[in-house]
Amino acid sequence: MAISQTNSPTNFAWATLLEVDAPEPGRRGSRLHDRLARALRTAIRDGRLTEGAAVPPSRALAEELGCSRWVVTEAYGQLIAEGYLAARVGSATRVSWSPDTAPPRPHTRPVPAPSPVRYDLAPGLPDLRAFPRRRWAEAVRSVTGSAVHYDLGLPDPAGHPVLRTTVAQYLRRSRGADAHPAAVSVCAGVTDGLVRTCRALRAEGIDDLAVEHPGWGRLRDAATSVGLRLYPVPVDHDGLRVDDLARTPARAVIVGAAHQFPTGTVLSPARRARLVRWAREVDGYVIEDDYDAEFRYDHHPVAVMQGMDPSRVFLLGSVSKTLSPALGLGWLVAPAATTPALRAANPVAAAPPVLDQLALATFIDRGWYDAHLRAARRRFRGRRDLLVRTLGAELPQARVSGTAAGLHILLHLPSGTDTPRTVRTAAAAGLRVADLDDYRVTDSADRALVLGYGNIGDTEIPAAVALLREALAARTGVRAMDA
Amino acid sequence: MAISQTNSPTNFAWATLLEVDAPEPGRRGSRLHDRLARALRTAIRDGRLTEGAAVPPSRALAEELGCSRWVVTEAYGQLIAEGYLAARVGSATRVSWSPDTAPPRPHTRPVPAPSPVRYDLAPGLPDLRAFPRRRWAEAVRSVTGSAVHYDLGLPDPAGHPVLRTTVAQYLRRSRGADAHPAAVSVCAGVTDGLVRTCRALRAEGIDDLAVEHPGWGRLRDAATSVGLRLYPVPVDHDGLRVDDLARTPARAVIVGAAHQFPTGTVLSPARRARLVRWAREVDGYVIEDDYDAEFRYDHHPVAVMQGMDPSRVFLLGSVSKTLSPALGLGWLVAPAATTPALRAANPVAAAPPVLDQLALATFIDRGWYDAHLRAARRRFRGRRDLLVRTLGAELPQARVSGTAAGLHILLHLPSGTDTPRTVRTAAAAGLRVADLDDYRVTDSADRALVLGYGNIGDTEIPAAVALLREALAARTGVRAMDA
């Protein structure tokens, strides 16, 4: 529709051309002058009203629209304040803005909706169906009512003192950590904690960081985003090879001591001690990623290395593998001597939302976290056993490892297996699994899948393993039904 | 207490020396073998049990403690797995770890508790007592019950699609923005959004950023933390001086168009248009910090500049000044052409907790945000009037500016006023105020205080202004009672 750009009051068709919105009662911007201002603004932005064009005198437009003149002068005044119109004494009010002449922006693609999968054997998630919704909501409700009003002010970047105290107690009691509230920073999770730690390392003059290989890419991304150089160090059946580490120039290393990701190995007792001694020898640090250590099945959870030497070990943990990664809540325990550097190197780091922090403190303090972990450990142990048993029966040619702890295992496949194709075939059938190669930075002849059993129902495991068998059979041309 | 380190079963005093904790029923780590393991671990860490020392045979220690031998073998097994003890066949189990010989760490200082003030006239906070606790808790409760379970999985780093859609609608409707869900990133607030934006700018080859002067230090910190060079550009009564900006090498600028912090000036209509044209001319960007624009008192809120040219303007906003900074929820609307760079330059950026995102979407969609803003605008307008009136009566020598919008004003003081001392004197009396100089990077002869009226009760204003008058009088040696 073309729009008349004359200011003669005789040929207006503004009322239809401006496409004034329908009102939405109770909404901001729902009054007529707001809607008229919006319509004029849109017409100017669209180029239907071009720069220099006069808009009608307010009285004339008011008549045309059947509204009071006040409505029009309000709308004009709004657009003058915004720079779209300019008024000069003794002259018509004119359009004073033109849209960019660049081609229209390809901005209409919708945000993709999350796509649920039928069976989820990919690693990284706890049992989302078992999230304790009722108790979490009760914890939030309770603290939202009881927080003092200055808890709603600017948050302490290191975290709320109540949660720092609760986390320190929890880590002492449950993870054998040597943690004091002043050493605890609340953060958004292990990645956030690692970014903060890496910034502190750089401030202390450490630019070289060793990482486990294979390992989690997001940790590598976090370290490189801060500018650290990475040195991948192999992992064997006893965990990180400390002798190889000692040959790198790195003075810091990230290690998943309790259950390495993705191999599932547990760092051996001798290596634990050796690793902390290495940190002392090089005047460096171990960054302990205690990401899923709550789930240890053949043994009580092994205490964190951080307790062996809290002046040499940073401890990272979160509730992402125990409750949900959507909560965005984790912690960082730092050596006391590094806390000034940690603060100074992270000048704009923000703590997670305060009500969530207080809710987690309440959730732990009321014993709900322990209860949740006990139930989850029982459930995951049974599920791991079922998965290992089913894999043994259905895929006898494959071997399983890394089962002692955590929420994932390795499924070793015959050499020559086209694992990327297996992953794709499985995905097309609605089954998510991960290729061990996805966590490697160099080639390896070992073929394996990483199977997570956190986020799959027990009753789904037989069907999921059957789909996996079919995906593996499709690769070799053997029909699944004959396997 | 010294501890016997012989392994002869005849002279044990382990039961008392190990200081085994009292049980806490229902807690992790409360069983006897856990408590025994903890006591042994502590003794090794403390140096009471030194490396190489033998621990008693399990049978002997069990007798001494009056417990089953199983308890002792479990505890020993735990410490062997953790690397504190080592067992060799045919030999005693021995301590295999020694604590660092460094002096003890000064780690016992308590986390300082937040210190409430009597009267808060510092800028930066909304009315914390008016936080809509009941409705916020209801929104969280509702979404915690209704979220689908994969909403509890790994969050979309750009934010949950539901909130991105709601924010885009809100910004279109209420702020006149040209915002589509795909262009919206949910972030933790304006600082977080600025850090992400600055990383994208660097990825686009922009290393020079102009900032308003005076301006908010945290924004400068955010930009420099990403490695940008800063060019302070003066602000006058029409806002940022675009002519001065054009003389810098910067191709991007942060601007508080609706209500500059801290001067409180509103960017004039001519400058708005001029600024967007500048961005086109230099092939650069305006970063619009729309931090408190919801509160405009003499006028409807002016629409954002972003709507004038969404390909040249980044828009940052949050609920920190409308609901609470403790919520940690904000947004970033980016030009479409920059969204790939924005994503690539922020590989480990995390969205805020998903349940909070969904709660905010519900809070807005139910009309509660609009209702809250309406009530807050009314309250703040009245409070601003009261503050300006009281200052006029009590401090006639001072002049007020920046009152048209937002939650703070400037109080201009006679030249020569020792504003740092005034701030300290006021603080000692329980009154928080801020010195305009705190937001400057170069000297100025103008003396002014920045007074925020978000977080003070109407009834407190007379007493707060009286304290301020006393603090100013103390400076000159004039007794407050005589003023």
Side-chain angles (χ1 to χ4, degrees), chain A residues 158-250:
Chain A
H160 195 285
V162 165
L163 181 58
R164 294 166 75 187
T165 302
T166 294
V167 163
Q169 284 171 341
Y170 171 77
L171 292 174
R172 277 204 300 275
R173 166 171 63 79
S174 194
R175 302 291 306 123
D178 186 349
H180 299 264
V184 174
S185 295
V186 181
C187 52
V190 164
T191 308
D192 181 29
L194 181 60
V195 166
R196 296 183 193 209
T197 302
C198 288
R199 290 201 192 107
L201 293 180
R202 288 206 70 183
E204 303 246 307
I206 295 180
D207 294 322
D208 300 306
L209 176 72
V211 295
E212 295 170 317
H213 187 246
W216 194 30
R218 196 170 159 80
L219 297 184
R220 292 194 297 267
D221 290 344
T224 53
S225 78
V226 177
L228 292 176
R229 275 186 300 268
L230 297 190
Y231 296 84
V233 171
V235 170
D236 65 20
H237 58 280
D238 280 335
L240 182 88
R241 291 166 60 124
V242 184
D243 289 341
D244 289 346
L245 167 65
R247 282 191 285 271
T248 73

Side-chain angles (χ1 to χ4, degrees), chain A residues 24 26-29 31 33-34 38 41 45 51 74 77-78 80-84 96-100 105-107 109 111-112 114 116 125 128-129 131 133 136-137 140-141 143-155 161 164 170 172-174 176-178 180-183 191 195 199 218 221-222 225 269 272-273 276-277 280 294 299-304 307-312 324-328 334-336 339 347-350 353-356 364-365 370 373-374 377 455, chain B residues 24 26-29 31 33-34 38 41 45 51 74 77-78 80-84 96-100 105-107 109 111-112 114 116 125 128-129 131 133 136-137 140-141 143-155 161 164 170 172-174 176-178 180-183 191 195 199 218 221-222 225 267 269 272-273 276-277 280 294 299-304 307-312 324-328 334-336 339 347-350 353-356 364-365 370 373-374 377 455:
Chain A
E24 294 178 76
R27 287 275 178 173
R28 281 283 307 284
R31 292 161 303 181
H33 60 84
D34 287 330
R38 189 152 55 225
R41 200 188 288 123
R45 285 184 191 164
E51 189 163 4
E74 280 291 299
Q78 177 79 15
I80 288 168
E82 294 175 8
Y84 289 102
S96 57
W97 179 247
S98 57
D100 203 357
R105 297 166 303 282
H107 220 346
R109 70 184 163 84
V111 178
L125 288 178
L128 302 179
R129 289 174 187 82
F131 179 77
R133 295 179 186 231
W136 183 259
V140 174
R141 190 202 60 75
V143 301
T144 304
S146 66
V148 290
H149 75 268
Y150 48 83
D151 281 338
L152 300 170
L154 292 170
R164 294 166 75 187
Y170 171 77
R172 277 204 300 275
R173 166 171 63 79
S174 194
D178 186 349
H180 299 264
T191 308
V195 166
R199 290 201 192 107
R218 196 170 159 80
D221 290 344
S225 78
R272 290 166 66 95
V276 176
R277 287 199 175 95
R280 292 176 185 171
E294 296 294 352
H299 209 283
H300 312 297
V302 171
V304 290
M308 298 178 83
D309 193 342
S311 72
R312 292 292 170 192
S324 157
L327 291 184
T339 48
V348 293
V354 171
L355 294 175
D356 295 322
I364 295 174
D365 291 342
D370 281 353
L373 288 175
R374 274 196 303 275
R377 205 176 295 115
N455 191 33
Chain B
E24 293 179 78
R27 286 275 178 175
R28 284 281 308 285
R31 293 161 303 184
H33 58 87
D34 287 331
R38 190 155 51 227
R41 200 187 289 122
R45 285 183 189 166
E51 188 163 5
E74 281 290 299
Q78 178 77 16
I80 288 167
E82 294 175 7
Y84 289 101
S96 58
W97 180 247
S98 56
D100 202 357
R105 297 166 302 282
H107 221 347
R109 70 184 165 86
V111 178
L125 288 178
L128 302 179
R129 289 176 186 82
F131 180 76
R133 296 179 184 231
W136 183 258
V140 174
R141 191 202 61 74
V143 302
T144 304
S146 66
V148 291
H149 76 268
Y150 50 82
D151 281 338
L152 300 170
L154 292 170
R164 292 166 73 187
Y170 170 76
R172 277 202 301 273
R173 167 171 62 79
S174 194
D178 186 348
H180 299 262
T191 307
V195 166
R199 290 201 193 107
R218 196 170 159 81
D221 290 344
S225 77
L267 193 65
R272 288 166 67 94
V276 175
R277 288 199 174 96
R280 291 177 185 170
E294 296 295 353
H299 209 282
H300 312 297
V302 171
V304 290
M308 299 178 85
D309 194 342
S311 72
R312 292 292 170 193
S324 155
L327 292 183
T339 48
V348 294
V354 172
L355 294 175
D356 295 321
I364 295 173
D365 291 342
D370 281 354
L373 288 175
R374 273 196 302 275
R377 205 175 295 115
N455 192 33

